[in-house]
């Protein structure tokens, strides 16, 4: 099952959206700015994704490797420093 939703934006660019259980909402990364393995089931992308860098109260910093989210210790939420499985996006689709 897909852990990502692809939003094409043209000119060879696309956003991939995934659910972050730490923040309780979705994050996205952009290709080709990030390097993506192409697997929707067990995604890997590099480098890391850093959200809200300037605000420690909402900062989220993670790696995604082989379908797992590896949270870095500087995350604001309870998963900081932990690795969790990605969740399927089936229930989160917005109908677009
Ligand atoms: Zn997050």
């Amino acid at each position: 099952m897909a852990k990502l939703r692809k939003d094409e934006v043209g000119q060879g660019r696309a956003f991939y959206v995934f659910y972050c259980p730490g923040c309780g909402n979705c994050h996205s990364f952009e290709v080709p700015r990030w390097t993506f393995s192409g697997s929707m089931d067990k995604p890997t992308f590099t480098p890391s994704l850093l959200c809200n860098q300037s605000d420690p109260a909402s900062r989220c910093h993670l790696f995604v490797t082989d379908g797992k989210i590896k949270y870095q210790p500087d995350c604001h939420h309870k998963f900081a420093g932990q690795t969790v499985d990605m969740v399927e996006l089936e229930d989160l689709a917005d109908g677009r």
Side-chain angles (χ1 to χ4, degrees):
M1 290 298 296
K3 309 299 194 302
L4 299 173
R5 191 185 70 225
K6 183 178 184 181
D7 287 336
E8 298 207 40
V9 292
Q11 299 178 330
R13 295 168 56 229
F15 285 92
Y16 290 87
V17 179
F18 63 96
Y19 182 72
C20 171
C23 296
N25 55 38
C26 291
H27 298 318
S28 63
F29 64 95
E30 185 186 352
V31 173
R33 185 176 166 197
W34 273 265
T35 299
F36 172 46
S37 67
S39 170
M40 301 296 274
D41 179 46
K42 293 188 173 181
T44 298
F45 67 82
T46 55
S48 65
L49 185 69
L50 176 55
C51 303
N52 301 319
Q53 180 174 11
S54 62
D55 181 9
S58 62
R59 183 188 298 144
C60 187
H61 187 194
L62 56 87
F63 289 87
V64 170
T65 304
D66 201 22
K68 296 182 188 306
I69 302 174
K70 184 177 182 181
Y71 291 109
Q72 299 305 290
D74 56 343
C75 291
H76 73 97
H77 49 67
K78 65 180 180 182
F79 293 112
Q82 297 183 31
T83 300
V84 303
D85 289 327
M86 298 182 88
V87 299
E88 292 167 7
L89 271 183
E90 186 176 34
D91 298 331
L92 300 166
D94 63 8
R96 276 190 297 168

